[in-house]
Amino acid sequence: MTEIPFTDSDLSGLLPAVGAESPADPGMFDDSFGQLDLDSLARTEIATRVAARWGVDIEDQLTPDTTPAEVRRLALRAVNER
């Protein structure tokens, strides 16, 4: 099975696109969406962008306590389970 890349650069691009401070830095990847002041609309937008890029639906797994690092893990797990 070929591994689908989901890099720090991908995460850094997702966060400002949904309203997080720009530029996003790797230190933000372990902060929860709540800590980053990202609301449910931002979580939906992240899920939409993940679905468009990686072809997986993780929206129902995203909560205010989810971190960007967890988004990557959830997306990669979903890709590998297809």
Side-chain angles (χ1 to χ4, degrees), residues 30-69:
D30 292 322
D31 292 342
S32 71
F33 290 144
Q35 290 170 308
L36 297 172
D37 292 325
L38 297 176
D39 61 12
S40 61
L41 184 59
R43 293 192 307 271
T44 298
E45 180 62 23
I46 285 174
T48 299
R49 289 170 183 263
V50 166
R53 170 70 173 82
W54 289 277
V56 294
D57 181 10
I58 62 169
E59 184 173 0
D60 63 339
Q61 298 174 64
L62 303 183
T63 71
D65 295 325
T66 303
T67 67

Side-chain angles (χ1 to χ4, degrees), residues 8-9 11-12 15 24-31 67-70 72:
D8 283 356
S9 179
L11 281 177
S12 292
L15 294 175
D25 68 68
M28 298 173 75
F29 299 164
D30 292 322
D31 292 342
T67 67
E70 290 171 322
R72 177 174 25 212

